[in-house]
Amino acid sequence: MKSFNYKALPINVHFGRGRFKEVKEILKEYQFSSVLIITTAGQAAQGQKLAEQLGHICVGVHAKAIMHVPVAIAEEAIHEVQRLKVDCCLALGGGSTIGLAKAIALKTSIPIVAVPTTYAGSEMTAVYGLTENRVKTTGKDLKVLPKVVIYDPELSLRLPAKISACSGMNAMAHAVEALYAQDKNPIITMMALDAIRALKDALPVIVEDTQNIEAREKATYGAWLAGICLGSVGMAIHHKICHTLGGTYNLPHAEAHAISLAYSVHYNRNADIEAMTQLACALGGTDHQQVGHLIYQLNQKLNIPMALKDIGLPEDGPQTVTRIVCDSPYYNPRAYEYAELEQLMQRAYMGLPPN
Ligand code: NAD
């Protein structure tokens, strides 16, 4: 066995159906008495309901989170927490909501209690992002790491089938890239494989029946493990491609991940054969050469958009993305080869199978 480093992040996790009802008790345990609920406009009613449940320890609902945390939105929220003398931000929502709570924490050190309602995994990482003038800056700071995370699969029952599928594949991407990370280790590999199996089994069931609570539970479990992977080891070519698609073209985060994953793993299929064979087996196959196809077929089963052109990538996007990816690469187990990568990005643009 190769030598490795492993470090766990200090987050208290409460997982299970109906655990949402324990939020007030948990907040009191930590002696929080001035809690601001952060959420999106679309989840404002859910936030309001939670505020009623919390009673006097809740000082308001700030339902202004939007994707990629624009600096102006963060500044407004920081002003609000200072005005209300908030001692805890309770983030109820997906990556956008948790992202806003992280921006507040970065500036004020106000602790976060996260109640995730998508599968994006931000709650398990110390990574934050802020966007200004269409440029997203990311960084890492333990100040933004949630103190407590409450996973209640019942909260995802309202997540529409399409968002569930794409968000679930976004989680899958974190676990997949952990398998061939530069700093991979046996604990994270174990978690990544369990995450991939759970998501592969649960997502097709959810797409057929969004109310299937067993499948929701399995997907939430998979997303949690995938989030740990994302927070623990470095990501590679796939995350570089998706950060470029999001940063340069503002493509929707989860969809961009879901579509691109088949092509990223196909590109890496011979780079780390042990990892890719493990991936193929976790997806129900046997051969590392198949990995791109296995993800592509799973996407077809999930009825998610298959082509980058259908989610807003312009015609010259594949060349531009390939150039940016090759000019400022992340670590990857295989060297960046412009011509092959551009060809794959063209296939992703059209939604064709990876080869
Ligand atoms: P999101 O948070 O924007 O949510 C997508 C939409 O779904 C929103 O309109 C939201 O209101 C709605 N929604 C969420 N949960 C719902 C539910 N249970 N029922 C009904 N509607 C619901 O999307 P996301 O994909 O979760 O997050 C994307 C953002 O998170 C991006 O900005 C991305 O960069 C960031 N992110 C950051 C990290 C990190 O480690 N820092 C990790 C993953 C994602």
Side-chain angles (χ1 to χ4, degrees):
M1 185 180 274
K2 286 186 190 149
S3 62
F4 60 88
N5 296 332
Y6 173 73
K7 191 176 174 192
L9 290 172
I11 310 172
N12 288 337
V13 172
H14 302 260
F15 185 101
R17 284 185 218 178
R19 301 295 299 268
F20 185 54
K21 294 190 198 84
E22 295 171 30
V23 173
K24 187 173 182 178
E25 216 174 289
I26 292 166
L27 290 169
K28 280 184 159 175
E29 211 176 285
Y30 286 88
Q31 297 180 339
F32 294 130
S33 59
S34 185
V35 178
L36 183 67
I37 296 169
I38 310 283
T39 193
T40 60
Q43 291 179 275
Q46 209 181 352
Q48 209 53 54
K49 218 168 141 194
L50 175 59
E52 283 157 26
Q53 188 186 323
L54 297 184
H56 71 276
I57 65 165
C58 179
V59 294
V61 178
H62 188 79
K64 294 189 176 175
I66 56 174
M67 186 109 45
H68 304 317
V69 198
V71 166
I73 295 284
E75 281 170 355
E76 187 188 349
I78 290 162
H79 182 261
E80 193 64 356
V81 297
Q82 286 166 340
R83 185 181 73 81
L84 293 167
K85 301 193 170 28
V86 167
D87 64 7
C88 167
C89 284
L90 191 151
L92 173 69
S96 301
T97 295
I98 294 164
L100 180 56
K102 285 178 165 180
I104 297 169
L106 185 68
K107 192 70 185 252
T108 64
S109 298
I110 293 173
I112 300 170
V113 171
V115 183
T117 61
T118 70
Y119 305 127
S122 175
E123 65 282 355
M124 283 292 133
T125 83
V127 177
Y128 62 85
L130 280 160
T131 306
E132 194 167 31
N133 302 325
R134 300 186 63 208
V135 178
K136 187 166 178 175
T137 318
T138 58
K140 224 178 197 184
D141 194 318
L142 280 177
K143 258 197 297 198
V144 311
L145 188 73
K147 204 174 176 63
V148 182
V149 177
I150 302 160
Y151 284 106
D152 184 340
E154 286 177 3
L155 294 176
S156 58
L157 289 171
R158 297 183 204 187
L159 198 63
K162 184 184 156 199
I163 305 183
S164 301
C166 293
S167 187
M169 290 307 290
N170 180 191
M172 172 85 78
H174 307 326
V176 166
E177 291 232 291
L179 293 175
Y180 51 74
Q182 188 170 24
D183 48 352
K184 68 180 186 176
N185 65 67
I187 303 289
I188 290 299
T189 295
M190 222 159 45
M191 290 190 187
L193 291 171
D194 215 22
I196 292 162
R197 284 188 290 262
L199 291 163
K200 183 261 297 172
D201 290 345
L203 296 176
V205 180
I206 290 170
V207 167
E208 286 295 311
D209 174 13
T210 57
Q211 301 305 298
N212 186 311
I213 188 66
E214 284 82 20
R216 287 293 191 184
E217 199 164 52
K218 211 172 203 183
T220 306
Y221 171 72
W224 166 46
L225 294 181
I228 298 175
C229 295
L230 177 68
S232 304
V233 293
M235 296 287 114
I237 191 169
H238 172 74
H239 279 72
K240 177 65 195 180
I241 290 171
C242 292
H243 291 162
T244 308
L245 291 170
T248 308
Y249 294 106
N250 202 25
L251 297 197
H253 179 82
E255 282 96 322
H257 267 278
I259 295 172
S260 308
L261 186 60
Y263 307 92
S264 312
V265 296
H266 183 72
Y267 183 78
N268 276 346
R269 68 194 180 285
N270 294 316
D272 181 338
I273 290 175
E274 186 193 10
M276 287 312 198
T277 307
Q278 287 172 320
L279 174 59
C281 294
L283 290 169
T286 50
D287 182 354
H288 64 98
Q289 297 281 350
Q290 293 176 308
V291 284
H293 283 281
L294 291 167
I295 298 277
Y296 187 83
Q297 284 161 358
L298 180 57
N299 281 352
Q300 283 178 315
K301 212 164 153 185
L302 298 178
N303 287 328
I304 60 179
M306 296 299 288
L308 290 175
K309 70 178 169 55
D310 295 340
I311 62 162
L313 189 68
E315 212 178 331
D316 61 356
Q319 294 100 307
T320 307
V321 170
T322 309
R323 187 177 41 72
I324 296 172
V325 167
C326 291
D327 283 354
S328 52
Y330 292 179
Y331 162 81
N332 192 55
R334 176 178 173 194
Y336 287 74
E337 288 173 26
Y338 183 92
E340 190 180 332
L341 204 49
E342 198 217 322
Q343 202 189 10
L344 271 178
M345 289 309 301
Q346 292 290 0
R347 296 185 81 82
Y349 174 78
M350 296 301 295
L352 298 169
N355 74 346

